[in-house]
């Protein structure tokens, strides 16, 4: 797709170059990059006492924990090798 390549080309010139690199590796790598970026964005609000940001950071962190547990449990239930589980996490 020409438009897909144009978007990737444009993103390669911005601060999101790492996203393009991760997407070129695999979709799992891109998802991990997105989660890390989201965590990085809200981690600075973790020790803030006032405002809604700490609540959002807490909810996102708990959501990430639940997602990782679901991945682990479903992979173990389906006898998926540990290498693939580690890649997904």
């Amino acid at each position: 797709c020409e438009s897909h390549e144009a978007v990737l080309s444009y993103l390669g010139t911005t601060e999101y170059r790492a996203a393009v690199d991760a997407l070129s590796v695999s979709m799992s790598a891109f998802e991990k990059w997105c989660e890390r970026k989201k965590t990085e964005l809200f981690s600075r609000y973790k020790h803030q006492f006032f405002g809604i940001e700490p609540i959002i950071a807490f909810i996102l962190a708990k959501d990430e924990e639940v997602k990782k547990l679901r991945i682990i449990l479903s992979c173990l239930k389906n006898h998926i090798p540990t290498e693939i589980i580690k890649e997904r996490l």
Side-chain angles (χ1 to χ4, degrees), residues 19-87:
V20 176
D21 295 339
L23 193 56
S24 67
V25 172
S26 71
M27 195 57 147
S28 293
F30 178 70
E31 288 176 3
K32 282 170 52 174
W33 179 87
C34 289
E35 291 299 326
R36 274 192 235 119
K37 195 69 173 169
K38 185 172 57 172
T39 302
E40 178 185 308
L41 177 66
F42 281 100
S43 67
R44 66 182 125 183
Y45 299 115
K46 195 171 168 181
H47 300 292
Q48 183 177 337
F49 296 111
F50 301 105
I52 194 151
E53 293 90 354
I55 296 169
I56 293 171
F58 177 79
I59 290 170
L60 289 175
K62 290 299 173 185
D63 185 51
E64 184 64 24
E65 287 179 17
V66 169
K67 186 190 300 185
K68 286 182 180 182
L69 283 172
R70 284 183 181 156
I71 290 171
I72 291 169
L73 291 175
S74 67
C75 288
L76 290 175
K77 181 180 178 181
N78 294 309
H79 307 290
I80 295 177
T82 55
E83 304 86 46
I84 296 175
I85 296 173
K86 287 179 183 178
E87 178 187 329

